[in-house]
Amino acid sequence: DADPADLAKLTPPTGAAPELFLVMSTRDMPTPLNADSLMVAPLAEIEQSIDAILKIILNIAYIAIDFYDLWETLRHSNNFTITIAEHRGEGALTRAVAQLREMCPTNYYRRLLLMLFANHDAPIPIYASEISVLPDWTSTLPDETDIRWGIDNDETLPEDTVRLVAISTCTAAPKL
């Protein structure tokens, strides 16, 4: 957890490839001027968030999200949140989406990256009767919201579990 004055001295690398300079802190602070985005959260959430980002951009998925998608979502966003909603059994996806709705009110989303994980070895990893909860929810977001999504297998999940990872930027500070 660096001192904000020290962060202001850091300069992100420059080059031909897209670059992203994210700051994750356990204490409230303004977004450093040279950073693309800031996340303030407890240390355990920061660790989970780093793991989630790496799993999303490094895995080859059924419908993949790559670094460019992450870059487009977080660059120049000022603040971001990562929510990991993991639920089991029938209605798991519905409960995961409800958890995301609580984190940032619908009318505040600017950019949203969603990654859905399930264990493909499960007899029914996601119930067909509840898959409509995702388009139902995203259709309530403002028209200018940039939404990117992907789907991947996670064999470490119990057979009746879904995990929905949302990386979001909001026009107002989200609830912590």
Side-chain angles (χ1 to χ4, degrees):
D1 210 9
D3 184 282
D6 292 336
L7 287 172
K9 296 174 192 171
L10 294 176
T11 305
T14 58
E19 296 158 344
L20 191 60
F21 184 30
L22 303 177
V23 176
M24 296 179 169
S25 176
T26 58
R27 57 185 164 165
D28 201 17
M29 61 187 285
T31 304
L33 293 176
N34 52 358
D36 283 296
S37 199
L38 167 72
M39 175 182 166
V40 177
L43 184 58
E45 285 184 34
I46 289 174
E47 290 170 349
Q48 288 177 335
S49 297
I50 291 168
D51 287 344
I53 288 172
L54 292 175
K55 183 166 183 136
I56 287 171
I57 63 172
L58 296 178
N59 285 2
I60 297 173
Y62 297 123
I63 300 174
I65 291 175
D66 59 17
F67 178 80
Y68 182 78
D69 294 311
L70 185 70
W71 179 77
E72 280 289 325
T73 301
L74 295 179
R75 71 185 173 103
H76 310 303
S77 62
N78 196 37
N79 65 67
F80 72 102
T81 60
I82 298 179
T83 304
I84 302 169
E86 190 171 295
H87 294 277
R88 297 183 76 166
E90 191 165 353
L93 187 57
T94 300
R95 292 191 304 277
V97 169
Q99 184 177 338
L100 297 183
R101 286 183 131 161
E102 290 175 18
M103 287 303 297
C104 189
T106 299
N107 57 331
Y108 289 127
Y109 279 109
R110 280 192 327 182
R111 300 180 197 138
L112 178 62
L113 187 148
L114 292 170
M115 190 69 175
L116 179 61
F117 294 93
N119 186 336
H120 74 70
D121 293 333
I124 305 175
I126 299 171
Y127 292 87
S129 61
E130 69 174 325
I131 197 70
S132 65
V133 71
L134 278 171
D136 289 350
W137 172 53
T138 57
S139 69
T140 67
L141 300 176
D143 288 341
E144 61 275 3
T145 304
D146 180 12
I147 302 170
R148 295 165 188 269
W149 61 279
I151 298 173
D152 199 5
N153 177 48
D154 186 343
E155 295 171 352
T156 67
L157 288 174
E159 288 187 355
D160 63 344
T161 302
V162 296
R163 178 185 304 129
L164 186 58
V165 176
I167 301 175
S168 59
T169 64
C170 300
T171 57
K175 299 177 195 174
L176 295 177

